Amino acid sequence: MAEETAIQPYRAEELSPQQFDQALAFGQAKAQALSKVVEGQHLYVEIQGRKHLQVEAWETIAEGYGLSARVEWSRPLEAGGWEAKASVVDRQGNVVGGAEAECGTEGDGNWIDRASFQQRSMAQTRAIS
């Protein structure tokens, strides 16, 4: 079995043109492999002819880059519904991204009349996605 090489953070301007080409090729190969998993497992829904990734797809892609999502908090909104915040963390626990989302608020289609626990869960899922 080939020895795995740890990828070190770098700045693009520090790479030679050949190293940059190799980094791009590696990134493209990784993206294609992850795309095969998403397609093969059908981790998306089609809406109006466009593919929208499900949370499981985003989690799979993140894992492929050594990242994972975690919910930081969720809380009820005064006007009804829930909001949540998720962070993307690396393997050392460093936050490298994140998002907030709501569910059950005005104009939220099928979710406005759902049970509170369902709205909370969907707010968390949306934030992770």
Side-chain angles (χ1 to χ4, degrees), residues 76-120:
L77 296 166
E78 287 183 29
W82 285 81
E83 67 178 337
K85 179 179 180 175
S87 293
V88 178
V89 296
D90 64 17
R91 289 197 170 107
Q92 290 73 42
N94 300 308
V95 175
V96 297
E100 296 179 19
E102 295 180 359
C103 182
T105 54
E106 184 178 336
D108 199 5
N110 296 330
W111 289 96
I112 201 157
D113 293 325
R114 298 272 183 105
S116 180
F117 77 92
Q118 292 173 314
Q119 292 175 348
R120 183 180 189 182

Side-chain angles (χ1 to χ4, degrees), residues 55-70:
V55 69
E56 295 86 358
W58 289 116
E59 290 175 323
T60 299
I61 292 166
E63 180 60 33
Y65 290 94
L67 305 170
S68 61
R70 68 177 181 213

Side-chain angles (χ1 to χ4, degrees), residues 5-11 14-15 23 26:
T5 304
I7 298 172
Q8 299 298 318
Y10 60 85
R11 295 189 339 211
E14 295 174 346
L15 298 178
F26 178 77

